[in-house]
Amino acid sequence: MKKIAVYSASLVGAFMMMTGGAMAAPSCGLSNGQKANGEPIKVGAIVGQTGPDDFSSSGDAAQAFFKCINANGGVNGRPIEFTMEDDQWNPEVAAQVGNKLVKDVGVVALVGSGSFVDMAVNAKLYADEGVMSMAGACAISDCYESSNIVTAAGGPLISSVGAAQWAVAHQGAKNIVCVTTNIPTSGIYGCSWMQKFMENKGLEASIIPLDPASADMNSAVLETIASGADTVLVNMPGGMAAAFLKVAEEQDLRDNFKWISSTPLYDADIPAALGKYWTGVLTVNAELNPIDGTGPDTTNWRAIMETYANEGDPRDTFSQAGYLAAKYFVEAVLKLDPADINRASVTKAIQAISGKTSDMMCGPYYVGLADRHLPNHANIMMQLVDGGFKQVSECTQVDTEYLAPYLAIEKEMGISN
Amino acid sequence: MKNYGEKYGHFEMNQISGQWRRWLAPIIILIVALSIPAMGSALWLKVFTSVAIYTITALGISLLYRRLGQVSLAHVALMGCGGWVTLRLSHAFHLPFEFQLFAGGVFTAIVGMVLAYPALRMRGLYLALVTLMAAGGFSILIGIIQFPNGGDGFAGYAITAITHMERPYLAQSDEAFFVYCIMIAVLAYALVYAHEHAKPGRAWALIRRSEASAMAAGINVTFYKVWGFALSGFLAGIAGGLLAGSLQFLDARSFPVGESVMIFALTVVGGAWHWFGAIIAALLFRLMPALLNDWGVSGDAAFIFFGAALMHALATAPKGIAGQIAGLASRLMKSGDRHD
């Protein structure tokens, strides 16, 4: 009897350890388990949900984090009222919902936005109205060249150059063709700076732009073959990138090129979607650290997504970035007097964010008072393996002239030498 | 000639007796429109600014359809032409907005005249296909050259964050710009009205009835057809310039081919035969998706409604929603007159 009791206790203990390892309890804000009932703090986000691809995972993660906050004491008793709007990848709609959130709803900040148009359309609005956008998935240059927008993600430029830099160093890439969207401030922005990186090394590069509204992947694959490149860099939203790779698979082009990608393909669902064909062949740049990492923030992000997000919400880099944006936002406003939380005080608190470190990021996250922000300019490479990804490089600083003004800002702020 | 003009040329509101009744509805609509900024909603102000802009485009489409029986599936692309010129001049020379707007309109009128060339030989489906191909061509072209964003060179485009274009001196705020757009829309209506009640209107009416008859009557059919396309293109160009002013930049993704087809379809649904059909078309085109989006319904759901509305219009209301409203108003007035 005693033996059975010991075995039973051991089994229960082992089960608890296993479940504990698989999913720790979510931790957020005050973590007191008390529902916040005070006057809501209005926060918004703009995501590109309907359109050529769903680009809302950063907003979903921010929403999940705020649900956790509201169930755990809120911001010193005040819950966060989170309004997420869909810009439909349409500039007119982005302007409409931006004005709605900033002027009609009166949000104190935007947190977790993920879009291909919002930042271009509304950067001026945010600056004029003195509101900060702590974005998650920033797919366009305006995100990194505006005073009132900041993100933990590196963006298409940092990711594309990072992927090319790795391919040159580790795979001997000499001629890279970048297959991307024809959105100038997104796909072309990333690929043209990758092109400059290659030219500076005395190497070759070319760009194949695709219209995301009517992307013809067969033509793109044919152009890729005709490019004469030895390496293909896929720099598109996840859905489009997967479609392109499917067509390449149909043509059995795996062994004709080296295959690299920017971050959008780093998604927990991608290995299953692409199948075994790309195992050990496709290497993806990740703007943040691995989604299956064991650090405190990565573990907590997964737990929060498990508890507060929808099952179908992606677990990808942009979701991580949305989590970080929401976390740093809450940490900033928790320092404020709850009775004095308004747009001006929140903007000031966000601008004061400095030196935040996380196991999700290679370097520190900061905001500061500057005309542009790009705190994350180091990243890693993940290779597609059977059913998942494995890390094939450590954190590496991205080598591009584009960073010069940002490094000058960091020097001025005392972040780097 | 005058009889043709009366039968085919005048707006349906001429059926309403009395001069005061003729202007009552436009004045009421204008007052309602001008009171929209007082609602105090930034979202709906943006939406109604778009409605005012696309009213001008729909006005040009309905002019072609009503007067010349021509189907244009390229008007949103024509807006892009006007918007491109307006933006380019703004970034290059910083001229007064009105000058840039007018230049954009004139350029688009010339493009409209080029489009009119096949219209001289084609009608119906074939012309519609030509205009659709033109819209497709524009979509590809603008994807390559992009809209000016403050860069150098002919295209004025650079891969960097956008430099926002300047708005009119008198309309810097969203509220003032909305009123500005309303005033331009009123001027657009006046321009069309002036044409329809003058020699071009009478010529178009006869051309629509029979080109052979028109030629027999000594009308220069080629000239008036080209003129109709030029006027319609001018209006689309003005609308494109206003859209650029509203957003303070333009994005190639705002001008897909599908939008040109959609606004034509909605002009038919709204009612091309009535002066306020263009307003209904613009409301359907921009207000309906915004309402659905605000209610949390996917904006794409509007396409299902639009498809059903188009089938309804083609099957039961050939003069569109505006025709139904005008018919109802006419019946009510007659009923009221009988009671008097």
Side-chain angles (χ1 to χ4, degrees), chain B residues 44-104:
Chain B
W44 299 114
L45 189 64
K46 280 278 179 194
V47 171
F48 279 104
T49 302
S50 292
V51 169
I53 291 168
Y54 282 99
T55 295
I56 300 170
T57 307
L59 187 63
I61 296 170
S62 64
L63 173 77
L64 276 184
Y65 187 63
R66 182 177 65 243
R67 290 320 210 149
L68 290 165
Q70 308 285 31
V71 174
S72 169
L73 301 180
H75 263 62
V76 170
L78 289 175
M79 284 177 74
C81 292
W84 193 95
V85 172
T86 305
L87 273 170
R88 190 70 199 96
L89 293 176
S90 171
H91 287 304
F93 305 112
H94 304 281
L95 299 168
F97 183 84
E98 291 72 19
F99 179 84
Q100 291 154 189
L101 193 65
F102 184 74

Side-chain angles (χ1 to χ4, degrees), chain A residues 86 88 91-93 95-96 99-100 103-104 116-117 120-121 124 141-142 145 182-185 188-189 192, chain B residues 40-43 46-47 50 54 146 157 159-162 164 174 243 247-249 251 253-254 286 293-294 299:
Chain A
D86 178 11
Q88 302 170 19
E92 271 182 88
V93 178
Q96 289 165 11
N99 274 272
K100 176 186 172 182
K103 292 182 178 173
D104 295 345
F116 278 74
V117 289
V121 175
K124 186 172 180 293
S141 58
D142 303 78
E145 299 173 9
N182 69 349
I183 303 169
T185 53
I188 308 294
Y189 157 75
S192 62
Chain B
S41 165
L43 165 66
K46 280 278 179 194
V47 171
S50 292
Y54 282 99
Q146 297 294 336
Y157 164 74
I159 300 170
T160 182
I162 291 161
H164 289 87
D174 283 353
L243 189 64
L247 296 170
Q248 297 185 268
F249 82 106
D251 185 299
R253 286 165 288 169
S254 296
R286 280 298 178 252
N293 199 30
D294 199 50

